[in-house]
Amino acid sequence: MRTKYVAGNWKMNMDKAGAVALASELVEQLKGVDNKFMIAPPFVYLDAVAQVVKGSNIILGAQNIAATENGAHTGECSAAMLKDIGVETVILGHSERRYEFYETDKLINIKVRMALEHGLDVVLCIGELYSHKVAGVTEAVCEMQVKGGLDGLTKEQLAHVTIAYEPIWAIGTGKTPTPEEANSIHKSIRASISNLFGADVAENIKILYGGSMNAKNGKDLLAQSDIDGGLIGGASLKSETFVPICKYTV
Ligand code: PGA
């Protein structure tokens, strides 16, 4: 049985006081709760939040990293810098990065490798557009993104990778696939990973669901055999809506 992993993607929300307050509430309320937790605040609040979550059971995540090492790259933030302030994980390949910032599978793969080389864990996001779903190519799109994002990695590196399946039409819309539909996509993603890296890697890798997960629908989604947790956007911005999802143990 894979332990559940619940992650909060705060995106470009909050101010410093709010970020510190929310992190403090989560540290308090998740004390002793036996799942894996991560929060990913905006870059500018990472250092402040790092002080709050230090020594707790909450992992500090970033929402992106530079594809290059330190140096003349205006506006970027390197893996080494994030590591330096206590970041342990990075979310890569989020659909908002793919579609708003034109990130390709190739670029995402460079970032995945960069993160792993610097000792950061990775949450690799994949997922289909509504038009893909209608065309019946969801599994093929996910397989392509898994292949592209994880290209060239070793089996050993896969121990530091989590996949987040996020149907793009479900993100921030209040719409979700049924738990059974989501589970069936998760199974096909696991099968792709098995083909690429072997059955043992596929059995152990966590595949999270993301897209309008909340305290109401979370329990049924997390009860599915192949849904190993959630990547939560909107509902991660308040402890009242995030903590109940974190506490579901199935
Ligand atoms: P949402 O976002 O929970 O607000 O739909 C999820 C995500 O984009 O990771």
Side-chain angles (χ1 to χ4, degrees), residues 165-198:
Y165 167 59
E166 302 202 299
I168 297 165
W169 52 270
I171 296 177
T173 59
K175 292 184 190 138
T176 58
T178 65
E180 294 74 22
E181 278 165 358
N183 199 46
S184 128
I185 309 296
H186 280 228
K187 279 183 192 285
S188 88
I189 295 165
R190 208 177 289 287
S192 304
I193 292 169
S194 181
N195 288 337
L196 290 167
F197 297 100

Side-chain angles (χ1 to χ4, degrees), residues 2-145:
R2 295 171 291 269
T3 48
K4 301 290 178 189
Y5 181 5
V6 184
N9 176 7
W10 293 2
K11 306 191 180 180
M12 197 169 71
N13 291 296
M14 227 93 77
D15 56 17
K16 188 174 177 183
V20 167
L22 176 55
S24 312
E25 286 168 30
L26 296 177
V27 166
E28 201 48 47
Q29 294 175 33
L30 295 177
K31 215 174 261 173
V33 183
D34 208 14
N35 285 331
K36 180 172 176 179
F37 307 116
M38 183 266 272
I39 51 176
F43 280 134
V44 287
Y45 305 137
L46 277 169
D47 205 5
V49 171
Q51 311 310 317
V52 179
V53 299
K54 208 183 223 164
S56 77
N57 60 345
I58 302 173
I59 295 164
L60 186 64
Q63 300 173 21
N64 188 23
I65 56 166
T68 41
E69 301 282 355
N70 298 336
H73 307 288
T74 303
E76 289 293 278
C77 194
S78 73
M81 289 170 180
L82 295 169
K83 191 78 186 150
D84 184 36
I85 59 160
V87 169
E88 292 176 79
T89 295
V90 62
I91 298 171
L92 293 172
H94 192 282
S95 60
E96 287 149 20
R97 302 289 324 163
R98 290 176 189 266
Y99 289 93
E100 272 185 55
F101 301 100
Y102 312 106
E103 293 201 5
T104 60
D105 284 322
K106 195 162 189 298
L107 177 66
I108 293 160
N109 179 244
I110 291 170
K111 292 186 176 190
V112 167
R113 292 173 188 225
M114 178 69 71
L116 293 170
E117 276 161 23
H118 283 270
L120 293 166
D121 287 351
V122 168
V123 176
L124 173 68
C125 302
I126 59 169
E128 84 284 7
L129 289 163
Y130 188 67
S131 58
H132 293 138
K133 176 179 158 65
V134 171
V137 295
T138 296
E139 278 94 342
V141 168
C142 289
E143 180 169 31
M144 206 173 65
Q145 293 175 343

